[in-house]
Amino acid sequence: MGSIKNFGLVVNSENMFSKEEHGKPISEELSKILRRNVTKDDYANIALRSNVSFSTIRDVVYRTNSLTKTNAQAISLLVHAAYENSIAFRLQAEGDTLFLDNLLKIRPH
């Protein structure tokens, strides 16, 4: 299974978040989706790439800190990671479902 990183996707926080969203917490829906689809490793890797601290990224995701121009790029990268992870989770769940379906089928004696 390949990664969508190979498709040349460019993450641009200016296209993802409007200036009006700065100074406010991210939406509850985005917060829930990010919490469901990113790992601590994702936070750590994005903190290193963006020079925004792990704790700031976490606080924005948990809505205890507002989105700013400075942390918006890190949150955009986190959205990208969540997108990739959600695809991987879906594919894994589909494979698991097929395996379990075959295991649960009643076989004739």
Side-chain angles (χ1 to χ4, degrees):
M1 173 171 55
S3 169
I4 65 169
K5 292 175 187 168
N6 298 331
F7 293 115
L9 179 65
V10 176
V11 178
N12 184 341
S13 64
E14 292 175 10
N15 291 337
M16 194 173 295
F17 301 110
S18 68
K19 290 180 182 179
E20 291 78 28
E21 291 175 283
H22 293 177
K24 300 174 186 169
I26 61 173
S27 71
E28 288 183 41
E29 183 178 17
L30 179 56
S31 173
K32 287 177 189 176
I33 291 169
L34 291 175
R35 287 183 278 136
R36 197 169 36 235
N37 289 288
V38 295
T39 66
K40 289 181 182 179
D41 285 341
D42 293 322
Y43 283 81
N45 292 335
I46 289 166
L48 288 172
R49 286 177 59 190
S50 66
N51 291 323
V52 175
S53 74
F54 181 103
S55 60
T56 296
I57 296 169
R58 180 201 59 219
D59 290 349
V60 172
V61 169
Y62 280 85
R63 305 182 79 235
T64 59
N65 202 351
S66 295
L67 185 72
T68 66
K69 187 174 181 177
T70 304
N71 64 37
Q73 183 63 26
I75 300 304
S76 297
L77 291 169
L78 201 63
V79 167
H80 182 260
Y83 179 74
E84 285 190 335
N85 291 345
S86 70
I87 292 169
F89 294 151
R90 183 183 64 201
L91 293 172
Q92 184 176 19
E94 288 172 2
D96 293 350
T97 300
L98 290 172
F99 176 83
L100 294 171
D101 184 52
N102 286 330
L103 192 61
L104 291 170
K105 284 185 179 175
I106 299 174
R107 300 170 199 254
H109 296 293

